[in-house]
Amino acid sequence: MAGRLQSELKQSKPFASVEVEAYLNLVRTADELARQMAVHLKPHDLTPAQYNILRILRGAGESGLPCGEIGARMVTRDPDITRLLDRLEKRGLTTRSRSGADRRVVVVRITAGGSSLLDSIGSDSLDAFHRGQFQHLTRDQLVQLIDLLEAARSRDA
């Protein structure tokens, strides 16, 4: 429904262009969905970025990943990966060690505690959470949304 954001923002003048309105709608929607995720993770004392790091590390397996590679795989970029890793390590959810091949490289691994925390959150629970976020959209609408968002990111659209 075009024009809804203008009302939500209590803006009396129309947006400068449809591109501006599209951008602001995207940012507003992403913020709302991110806030819902933060609320969902709060009982586990995790931020969405910390959760993302734990998921990345669990996927990496026992070999772990260098800090830079974790940053590259993040869903949302965070300029201070070190601070996030400090907090996770302080809680015993990750460990860091120097690479044997290159001492300049710090490799991060998820601990048993980190894996246990992810298990307690549960992928089924998270899937149900996301289904709830988008329950008002049809499967076709979701596929169209995915296609449009990917096209917007590719800049080739």
Side-chain angles (χ1 to χ4, degrees):
M1 157 188 288
R4 183 171 168 187
L5 181 62
Q6 185 178 345
S7 174
E8 287 178 16
L9 298 177
K10 297 176 179 29
Q11 182 172 320
S12 58
K13 294 188 298 186
F15 295 105
S17 68
V18 68
E19 290 83 3
V20 169
E21 186 173 4
Y23 171 78
L24 293 174
N25 262 293
L26 183 60
V27 171
R28 178 85 170 196
T29 303
D31 179 64
E32 175 59 26
L33 295 172
R35 280 190 282 128
Q36 291 172 10
M37 182 68 168
V39 168
H40 184 75
L41 293 172
K42 189 172 178 87
H44 304 282
D45 195 26
L46 280 180
T47 65
Q50 290 170 332
Y51 175 77
N52 190 201
I53 289 172
L54 291 176
R55 293 284 309 249
I56 289 166
L57 290 173
R58 182 165 66 181
E62 291 182 19
S63 58
L65 288 172
C67 296
E69 183 63 24
I70 294 168
R73 294 182 185 199
M74 296 281 291
V75 174
T76 56
R77 304 287 188 215
D78 191 308
D80 198 359
I81 295 294
T82 302
R83 176 185 51 84
L84 291 168
L85 292 172
D86 286 345
R87 290 183 179 163
L88 291 170
E89 188 173 33
K90 186 178 279 190
R91 290 181 58 192
L93 303 175
T94 62
T95 61
R96 285 183 277 194
S97 60
R98 297 272 175 198
S99 168
D102 184 347
R103 300 289 298 155
R104 296 171 295 176
V105 176
V106 175
V107 176
V108 185
R109 292 174 182 82
I110 192 167
T111 64
S115 290
S116 177
L117 179 58
L118 287 180
D119 290 344
S120 73
I121 295 169
S123 60
D124 290 344
S125 167
L126 201 58
D127 288 345
F129 168 74
H130 289 307
R131 279 193 301 278
Q133 285 183 304
F134 294 101
Q135 67 186 354
H136 57 292
L137 300 176
T138 67
R139 178 170 174 68
D140 288 344
Q141 288 173 320
L142 288 170
V143 169
Q144 183 180 21
L145 176 61
I146 292 165
D147 290 343
L148 290 169
L149 292 170
E150 288 176 352
R153 275 196 321 277
S154 75
R155 301 182 68 124
D156 294 335

